[in-house]
Amino acid sequence: MQRFADAEVALGRAADVEKAAQARSGWYARYLWVFAAGQLILVPIAVLWHGFASAMAFGLANTFLVTGLSVYAARQRVVRRGFGVKHGVMVGSWGTGFALAVTLGNTVFVNNPAFAAVAALGCALPLATGARLEMRRPS
């Protein structure tokens, strides 16, 4: 009988932890919104600027963005179930779009501001979509 009571208590604690993770996981939507906004600056830098100044500006901006977001993510107390997979899909889809944008922007659409604007929006779109879906997720 005691084993059943212990199991019931353990399941209750697990349910409480899951509920807390659900309630406090709004931080990920904010993370994705900031990452999406960063693309509106970083992609045009990567596509339109050339040379040492571009590399320095891009490197510094990207370093500040990634460092800030990493510190913010590391400070979060809870992560809900399935977070790793979702984050992997988000980063993977962004990375694919970013690589495609930079490649096309430096080979086919060289010095094309219209392409840079569309590419920036295209790189921000998966992140903004993920943030929107995260905000709409039922608690």
Side-chain angles (χ1 to χ4, degrees):
M1 249 351 197
Q2 182 61 31
R3 289 189 331 215
F4 293 121
D6 291 344
E8 187 175 349
V9 169
L11 287 173
R13 275 189 267 173
D16 289 344
V17 168
E18 182 70 22
K19 189 181 291 185
Q22 289 285 344
R24 295 181 184 148
S25 67
W27 69 268
Y28 189 55
R30 292 185 294 276
Y31 173 99
L32 290 174
W33 281 121
V34 170
F35 199 11
Q39 299 313 296
L40 302 177
I41 297 167
L42 292 175
V43 173
I45 289 173
V47 171
L48 294 176
W49 291 6
H50 305 287
F52 181 74
S54 170
M56 291 304 292
F58 182 78
L60 286 173
N62 209 15
T63 298
F64 285 131
L65 178 65
V66 170
T67 301
L69 288 174
S70 296
V71 167
Y72 178 70
R75 295 192 54 155
Q76 303 310 309
R77 294 182 59 191
V78 293
V79 178
R80 64 185 171 79
R81 188 177 308 152
F83 173 77
V85 172
K86 180 174 184 169
H87 186 64
V89 169
M90 287 287 110
V91 171
S93 60
W94 164 79
T96 302
F98 185 77
L100 184 63
V102 170
T103 300
L104 290 174
N106 286 299
T107 57
V108 179
F109 299 102
V110 179
N111 295 327
N112 187 331
F115 175 78
V118 171
L121 291 173
C123 288
L125 183 63
L127 303 167
T129 302
R132 183 81 173 138
L133 290 173
E134 185 71 18
M135 289 172 41
R136 292 178 49 185
R137 181 187 46 74
S139 297

